[in-house]
Amino acid sequence: MSGSVLSIDHLTKRYGAITAVDDVSFSIAAGEIFGLIGPDGSGKTTIMRILCGLLSFEQGFCSIFDFDIEKEIGSVREIIGYMPQRFSLYPDLTVAENLRFFADLFQVGRTERQQRMTRLMAFSRLGPFQDRRAEDLSGGMKQKLALSCTLIHTPKLLILDEPTTGVDPVSRRDFWTILNELKNQGVTLLVSTAYMDEAGSCDRVAFLHQGRILSVDYPENIAGHFSHDLYEIEGENLYDIYVKLKSRPNVITSQLFGDKIHIALKKGADTGDLTTELAGRGSFEKIEPGIEDLFYELIREKG
């Protein structure tokens, strides 16, 4: 064994003239939750589909538990679990029938199957709808059912492509609790997400942008990569303030964050003029950078 559950070396995938994955390399250790973080179109899904043997690639090498994905994909599929973005279960089966089908497919014992179904029904809040056909579920319920069917067995490597999309905040939290339980049982997880706040729930994260990895690091080290002073502005007419700030020579970056603005200034820069300008228009305070702040900074640095 190489010591890595999953290893990707200089992976490149093209769709015609478009390079979807551009010279990507990373590895995942046993028992790790590894996050692929990035916006739509950054290459997350393409990487995962390659790992499951659903897509070919032009350059590079990929292995899972030392099985070559190109040459030994049959062995790879026996030890991984994969949940795609789109709902792909059986619409004419009920919630309970889908769960039982996948439990039987993965040869989960009858006693253990019932225990897992009970827990997953509680997690997904699908218990009252267990006799409803999947095609009659709402979009959010379909996603929860897909999560539950993926988690009905415990593969050595679980690959989840944006699994919390369309899931309410409470269920998102419960879902991550279950992922950590799986990790404690020795399962390794590769999870993609467009939600920056979920990066903090991973052991390590890779930031993807336009098919390239900007950085791979531990979440607790992320703030250390931000080399500027960061300030947060709250108030009215934020867009007008945002436009004015972008033209200031001492402002390195200015980003809208919902009802707030984050601006990065050079370390130790004088903020007296900004404080004066914003007086009576909104609050202005120094903050610690978060995941999204670092992501914007990495994009700026790497062009």
Side-chain angles (χ1 to χ4, degrees), residues 13-33:
K13 169 64 181 176
R14 300 184 183 91
Y15 295 101
I18 298 173
T19 301
V21 179
D22 192 354
D23 195 31
V24 164
S25 298
F26 65 85
S27 62
I28 303 177
E32 187 174 35
I33 299 180

Side-chain angles (χ1 to χ4, degrees), residues 1 54 58 74 85 99 102-103 107 122 181 246 249 263 268 284:
M1 292 291 292
L54 300 175
E58 283 71 35
Q85 283 179 306
L99 283 168
F102 278 89
Q107 299 180 336
E181 290 176 2
K246 287 179 70 72
I263 62 168
F284 178 71

Side-chain angles (χ1 to χ4, degrees), residues 172-233:
R172 280 178 62 192
R173 183 189 62 205
D174 293 342
F175 172 77
W176 278 94
T177 297
I178 290 178
L179 290 192
N180 280 288
E181 290 176 2
L182 291 171
K183 172 190 169 181
N184 292 336
Q185 296 170 13
V187 181
T188 304
L189 299 106
L190 174 62
V191 184
S192 71
T193 180
Y195 296 124
M196 294 296 175
D197 61 307
E198 292 189 349
S201 298
C202 300
D203 295 307
R204 285 191 303 141
V205 294
F207 291 95
L208 281 169
H209 180 62
Q210 295 181 349
R212 289 193 171 191
I213 287 186
L214 303 179
S215 179
V216 178
D217 210 337
Y218 300 95
E220 60 267 26
N221 294 340
I222 288 172
H225 292 284
F226 200 86
S227 57
H228 316 299
D229 288 335
L230 187 69
Y231 294 86
E232 184 176 81
I233 299 171

Side-chain angles (χ1 to χ4, degrees), residues 29-103:
E32 187 174 35
I33 299 180
F34 190 94
L36 292 179
I37 313 299
D40 292 342
S42 59
K44 305 186 301 298
T45 295
T46 298
I47 290 172
M48 290 185 159
R49 297 190 71 189
I50 287 172
L51 293 174
C52 296
L54 300 175
L55 288 176
S56 60
F57 52 96
E58 283 71 35
Q59 298 173 14
F61 176 79
C62 302
S63 67
I64 293 177
F65 286 97
D66 287 342
F67 290 116
D68 186 323
I69 286 176
E70 285 191 294
K71 299 177 181 178
E72 302 170 286
I73 189 60
S75 297
V76 168
R77 286 174 176 163
E78 291 179 359
I79 55 176
I80 66 172
Y82 172 56
M83 177 185 160
Q85 283 179 306
R86 295 183 180 180
F87 183 76
S88 57
L89 302 181
Y90 293 93
D92 55 338
L93 295 183
T94 66
V95 168
E97 287 170 343
N98 267 289
L99 283 168
R100 281 195 292 269
F101 172 80
F102 278 89

Side-chain angles (χ1 to χ4, degrees), residues 108-120:
V108 177
R110 187 175 296 275
T111 301
E112 191 174 8
R113 179 184 70 181
Q114 190 55 50
Q115 292 173 348
R116 294 187 187 184
M117 284 183 63
T118 299
R119 185 181 68 169
L120 290 170

